[in-house]
Amino acid sequence: RPGSSAKGQAAAKVVLGDLGMNFNKLQLRNGSGLYHANKVTAAQVVKLLTGMFKLKGVGEAWRRTLAVAGVAGTLRGRLRGPATRRRIFAKTGTLDDVTALAGYAFGDKKRYAFALFFNNVKAPARFYRRTHDKFLQALLNPAGVASKEK
């Protein structure tokens, strides 16, 4: 006490190391997540999500902090169709030139960790969010209901 960026980075290094991740292969300059000085790959985020999901006693609490498709948080108005509603738990992120969505998608027989990033975007974020949504709709319902999702 008190908290500091240095202490936060030290804690992140321990947690990421426990999940088998190399802290030196990414850059965390700010704890807010989607921040231009932070450098992470989608593969690194998926590894983090997969590791957190598997942690006994922590994974479920972690998932409950995420927005729920069609129900709560920043995904309340998105992914409301039957293939996706209450089946996607994710964190959204938007900057002027970045849009992101990362979390979990639960299919009938499979579960997925995913991370979708668009960098250096020029169009309004809503266009990229539609692409995120279409991807997840197709992932959870490849038979075709995706085109009817909202």
Side-chain angles (χ1 to χ4, degrees):
R1 293 179 197 228
S4 68
S5 291
K7 290 177 184 177
Q9 285 194 2
K13 187 173 187 176
V14 169
V15 170
L16 294 175
D18 288 348
L19 295 175
M21 297 178 70
N22 184 342
F23 187 80
N24 296 323
K25 290 191 175 185
L26 52 89
Q27 291 180 18
L28 296 178
R29 301 289 184 248
N30 180 301
S32 69
L34 196 58
Y35 176 69
H36 285 107
N38 291 340
K39 305 288 184 207
V40 298
T41 66
Q44 290 167 326
V45 172
V46 167
K47 190 167 187 173
L48 169 68
L49 290 164
T50 302
M52 291 301 292
F53 186 87
K54 293 177 182 177
L55 285 178
K56 298 248 187 271
V58 176
E60 179 61 25
W62 165 270
R63 188 177 59 78
R64 285 193 311 264
T65 68
L66 302 174
V68 182
V71 176
T74 54
L75 292 178
R76 179 178 35 249
R78 292 171 62 184
L79 300 158
R80 296 175 295 174
T84 53
R85 183 180 171 84
R86 296 186 186 274
R87 299 176 91 187
I88 296 169
F89 302 82
K91 173 72 177 107
T92 62
T94 305
L95 297 174
D96 287 341
D97 60 345
V98 179
T99 183
L101 183 66
Y104 306 101
F106 293 88
D108 291 333
K109 296 182 182 181
K110 291 186 178 184
R111 59 183 176 240
Y112 306 91
F114 66 88
L116 307 169
F117 302 147
F118 285 106
N119 293 309
N120 301 314
V121 301
K122 304 295 183 216
R126 71 179 175 274
F127 294 112
Y128 300 95
R129 289 185 194 121
R130 285 185 198 143
T131 302
H132 292 158
D133 294 358
K134 286 179 183 179
F135 169 82
L136 291 165
Q137 290 161 356
L139 178 68
L140 293 182
N141 188 8
V145 175
S147 62
K148 297 177 184 175
E149 295 266 340
K150 295 178 178 153

